[in-house]
Structures are given as C-alpha cells and as structure tokens.
Amino acid sequence: MLNKVKWQPEWVGTKMSQKDFLTIEQCTPNEVMSLLTDALHMKKLQKQGIPHPYLSGKVLGLIFEKSSTRTRVSFEVGMLQLGGHAIFLSSKDIQLGRGETASDTAKVLSRYVDGLMIRTFSHSSIEEFSQNATVPVINGLTDLHHPCQVLADLLTVLEHKGKLNGLKMCYVGDGNNNMAHSLIEGAVKVGMHISVASPVGYEPNADILYQAKLDAEHTGGSVTVTSNPVEAAKAADVIVTDVWTSMGMESEQEERLKAFQPFQVNLELCEHAKKDYIFLHCLPAHRGEEVTADIIDGPHSVVFDEAENRLHAQKAILKALMD
C-alpha cells in the first residue's frame, strides 16, 4: 500500500509573467526551469497516487483544427488529475469552422471556460485568440511553434541527464518547422548548445534564430545551423528529429523525401554522438524515413518517456496559468 500524503494546498509553484503560453521564447529562463520543477513535483505526486487538485472546478476548452493523439489525451487527463474538466471542441463542431471569426469565438468562450488550448495551423490565429480572450490561451501546436512538446522534451532530458545547462542537443531534419523553432528557443533558455542540421532551403526562421542567439548571450547557451548532419551530431548528448513532411505539407512529400534522405537519423550518424546520448522524437514517427527502427526502438531511445512527459509538463503550464 502506498503511504498517501494529504494534499498540500499551500504548494505555490510557478506563476507566469505572461497571461498566455504561446511560445517558449516569451518565458524567462527562471520560468522555464520553474515549470520543469513543478512538472517533476506533480509527476511524483501522480506516481505515488497522491491527489493534487490544484484546478478543482476549473474548465479548459480544447480547440482542435489539427488532429492529435498525445495533445488531446494529455490535456484531458491532465485537467482530470488537477481536479478540473476539459471540453473537446473540434473546429468542425463549433461555429469557428463555419466562418465565425477567431476574435468572436475567443470572446464568447472566455465567458464559459477558465482557459483555452488551441491546436491549429497559422500562428497568427492563436495570436488573434490571445488578443481577444480574457482567459489564458495555450499553444497546443501551430505551424511555427510547438512549446508544450518542447517543455516535455526538456523535462525528459533533465530526468535522464540530471541537468540541462551545458549539454549539446542535435536536431536533424526540417529546420523550418515548429519543433525546430521551439527546440531552439527552449535550448537556449536553459543554457544548452543546440546544433540544427537541415538541407539548404530548410533552415530555421531567421527572426526566431536571431532572437535565440540574443537570448543565448545571457544564458550561456548557443545555436548553430549547418547542412552537415555529422558535424551537428558530434559529441551530442541528445539527438532529436521530426517527420520530414508535417501536416498540411503533403503535396511536398516526394520533394522532401529526396531532400532529407541524407539527414536520416541512423546508426551511422549516431556513432558521432556521445556514447550515452539519448534519442527524442515527438511522435508520430515514420520509421524508415526520418529515423531507422533500430534507433527509435533501440536502447538510447526515450521517446515514450518523452510522450508521457507531455502530461506532466502541461499540468505545470495549466497550474501556472489557471490556478
């Protein structure tokens, strides 16, 4: 039998300086580390079977314009474990999908719920929600950023490596996608050195890269971009990749398969990393494309720990914004 401890409501944890959680870049380094600390705390409570209803009676609206497995389930379960409720709102089922503006939808839903999570295409859409909502807005994914996933990634690295500052992260693949952008932002916030390897023409967004390099000057981290995956993988503590063709880019699939073939994460590439490297992938993965099965299913892979940590990282975000 577990020795259950009475829930301690005096636990405070992180309070965000921003109303919303749209990007990692908007957070201070201390806020990122505090969110990770809170996530570890609540993960421990959950594993010990200790209730932690910090959001008792609160309701989170979940707006999905893109399909999802991990995002939907982790947010719904997270709100349940925090003592609240989540309402799934497909764009096909609400007036947003029939032409109602994002601003009107945000204003109306703010009268009903205590927070909104949105998984959509254009980042400008979630910014419009943020500007018009009077409740916290959380970015569940846009074409430009994926901050919830990257907070879970950092949590996973912290658990397996015991630290973040000074580690080298290697990202191989499409540098101009949401994972690459949020990884760059997150890595420099915690003092990591991130090396991005992508084909010419698929480099990260220039504005995001510029801001990350400015942030790195204050945290001791660094960002490098190269078209040589071997160079990026040298002495890496963490290797990360993502699918080569994201949702909405299906028409580019054949072109991308050719461009990214030299950027596959395989045994040969990973030989250049440190012997105790860990492998991350946000999932779903296309085994045989961006990563070989012997890597993602191998001893260095922590992708399912990473997937679980979506739950714990997001609970920290929800508590920080909605408590």
Side-chain angles (χ1 to χ4, degrees), residues 223-237:
V223 187
T224 59
V225 178
T226 178
S227 58
N228 186 336
V230 171
E231 178 184 328
K234 283 181 180 176
D237 298 283

Side-chain angles (χ1 to χ4, degrees), residues 304-317:
F304 297 109
D305 291 345
E306 177 188 9
E308 178 191 344
N309 280 337
R310 285 291 300 277
L311 170 65
H312 309 296
Q314 287 161 189
K315 283 166 67 176
I317 296 167

Side-chain angles (χ1 to χ4, degrees), residues 86-142:
I87 300 176
F88 175 75
L89 302 167
S90 166
S91 61
K92 297 177 182 178
D93 301 326
I94 59 176
Q95 297 300 329
L96 185 65
R98 299 181 59 194
E100 184 173 49
T101 65
S103 61
D104 285 355
T105 303
K107 290 172 183 175
V108 170
L109 291 179
S110 294
R111 305 291 184 102
Y112 300 143
V113 300
D114 301 289
L116 289 165
M117 189 291 303
I118 305 172
R119 183 177 171 94
T120 187
F121 290 89
S122 171
H123 194 73
S124 61
S125 295
I126 202 167
E127 289 177 328
E128 186 177 357
F129 262 91
S130 172
Q131 291 162 6
N132 289 278
T134 56
V135 296
V137 175
I138 299 170
N139 181 0
L141 176 143
T142 65

Side-chain angles (χ1 to χ4, degrees), residues 40-51:
L40 287 171
H41 172 75
M42 285 188 280
K43 183 174 184 177
K44 182 178 179 180
L45 293 179
Q46 190 258 328
K47 295 296 184 183
Q48 293 178 341
I50 301 172

Side-chain angles (χ1 to χ4, degrees), residues 163-192:
K163 67 173 188 176
L164 294 170
N165 185 274
L167 296 181
K168 179 180 179 181
M169 174 181 284
C170 164
Y171 173 85
V172 183
D174 186 357
N176 194 30
N177 81 351
N178 48 25
M179 277 303 301
H181 293 153
S182 289
L183 281 168
I184 290 169
E185 293 177 339
V188 299
K189 288 289 183 181
V190 297
M192 295 179 73

